[in-house]
Amino acid sequence: LEHFQRAYLMSGVPTALYNAAMALRALGRHREARDAFQRVVDSHGDSPAAEPSRVKAAEEGARVAVLTLAGLDAEADYAIRINGRAHESERGTELEIEADPGPNGVQATRMGYESWTWEGQLEDGEQRTLQVEMVEIEVETTSVFKSPVFWVITGIVLAGAGVGVGLFLQQNAQLDVMHPD
């Protein structure tokens, strides 16, 4: 695959791109193979490789599975990963993701919610809808007034203030001159 891709980059010969698409197909990377065959058609429509590429693009397209993630909040931002790779998505209540047949995994994350994951086997051309149900993370809110640390510190501050006021008043009383009547 790497050699065919490099050959195409260096030469621009459609046969090299066609061979790269065939290698992708053999590797089971049907989405990429479909796109490479389609690129032969789009970029080299007058080439002898164009017609076989058109046929192979349709064949590979039929093998691509489609997952629909349903139940999304249209106002929320999600980070979606398929097989460990980030998937760019727009907001909406549903999201379609293309996947190659075989074992796949999808993860959806959203700020303030537990991650949602799915793992499963997809068949050639399968279309499956997955209901995304995310659980909000409950943040435990504790009042500062319930904290023993708060009351210990408050007690120390009040005791210190009481001692300070007492000393001030005592010192002030000693400075007052007493006048006998």
Side-chain angles (χ1 to χ4, degrees):
L1 172 61
E2 184 181 318
H3 292 294
F4 289 131
Q5 288 173 328
R6 192 174 315 132
Y8 180 70
L9 286 174
M10 292 172 62
S11 69
V13 175
T15 307
L17 181 55
Y18 179 86
N19 288 336
M22 289 297 288
L24 288 163
R25 178 182 181 180
L27 292 169
R29 293 164 56 179
H30 303 290
R31 291 174 301 124
E32 293 172 87
R34 175 203 57 201
D35 295 345
F37 284 125
Q38 190 59 50
R39 208 163 99 204
V40 171
V41 173
D42 295 343
S43 301
H44 307 283
D46 57 348
S47 158
E51 188 53 37
S53 292
R54 188 180 331 280
V55 172
K56 298 271 189 236
E59 289 173 0
E60 292 305 294
R63 295 188 76 181
V64 173
V66 178
L67 290 172
T68 301
L69 302 185
L72 302 173
D73 182 345
E75 301 300 316
D77 290 321
Y78 292 89
I80 307 292
R81 298 184 76 74
I82 180 159
N83 300 324
R85 291 189 177 130
H87 182 276
E88 293 296 320
S89 62
E90 295 183 15
R91 288 183 177 183
T93 58
E94 289 189 347
L95 171 65
E96 284 191 357
I97 301 173
E98 291 185 333
D100 288 319
N104 283 276
V106 179
Q107 180 183 41
T109 56
R110 175 181 173 193
M111 187 74 94
Y113 288 78
E114 293 179 15
S115 293
W116 173 87
T117 57
W118 173 85
E119 290 183 0
Q121 184 80 16
L122 295 173
E123 301 300 322
D124 281 3
E126 181 178 355
Q127 295 191 11
R128 184 181 294 191
T129 299
L130 304 172
Q131 190 66 34
V132 177
E133 296 178 9
M134 300 187 87
V135 177
E136 190 170 3
I137 297 172
E138 293 187 29
V139 178
E140 187 176 315
T141 56
T142 57
S143 172
V144 70
F145 299 112
K146 293 181 181 179
S147 170
V149 174
F150 171 78
W151 290 111
V152 168
I153 291 172
T154 301
I156 291 170
V157 169
L158 289 175
V163 169
V165 169
L167 288 173
F168 175 77
L169 292 176
Q170 182 185 11
Q171 222 175 16
N172 202 21
Q174 288 178 358
L175 293 176
D176 283 344
V177 178
M178 296 229 174
H179 297 287
D181 285 346

